[in-house]
Amino acid sequence: MKIKEILSGTKKRLERGSRKKRKKGKSLISKLREGAIPFDHEMIPGIMKSINSVLTKTGSKALPIGSGATPTPGKMSGDLDMIVDLNQLKQHFKMPDAKDADIRKKLRQVFDLAGFKTAQTGTSVHVEVPMT
């Protein structure tokens, strides 16, 4: 729909419903972005073990950043932010001149093949780690 059509009144936007109503049906992306289930920081080593067990196949390792870098047992978080060396991934995939976005897609595929639920938004690859 073109802006000119909206302004002239020849076409109208579809009613999307209230924000509350739209948020009810949550997708994996919104679930991951919001931090679906709060978890205790004492679980961070187990989460890191799950992530790094997949990443070892690529010759790289994830490092926690933010509050997860110094876990405090008893403290609750909704998500755990990590970084992975993009250059190591480029080497592993034998794509030294590839765009960063292409490497992120490959990284997501690695986690998909390992059986994790994933999503990709912007520069982030989201991985849902099952917790017991």
Side-chain angles (χ1 to χ4, degrees), residues 7-96:
L7 294 175
S8 69
T10 56
K11 284 195 176 181
K12 295 189 180 208
R13 290 183 184 209
L14 297 174
E15 179 60 42
R16 294 183 347 175
S18 70
R19 180 172 174 80
K20 186 176 179 181
K21 192 176 185 181
R22 289 192 321 261
K23 287 189 74 132
K24 249 184 196 178
K26 293 186 179 183
S27 68
L28 175 64
I29 294 171
S30 65
K31 188 175 172 186
L32 291 170
R33 194 179 300 140
E34 293 172 10
I37 302 168
F39 63 92
D40 192 307
H41 275 217
E42 70 184 18
M43 299 177 83
I44 289 176
I47 295 169
M48 293 302 302
K49 186 177 178 181
S50 294
I51 295 295
N52 283 323
S53 69
V54 174
L55 285 175
T56 56
K57 298 168 188 160
T58 67
S60 57
K61 183 177 180 181
L63 298 172
I65 58 173
S67 64
T70 53
T72 308
K75 183 176 178 182
M76 302 299 282
S77 287
D79 67 352
L80 176 60
D81 298 321
M82 301 174 214
I83 57 172
V84 179
D85 188 332
L86 197 60
N87 290 324
Q88 287 178 340
L89 294 173
K90 284 182 178 185
Q91 276 184 315
H92 170 75
F93 296 124
K94 295 177 176 66
M95 299 171 67

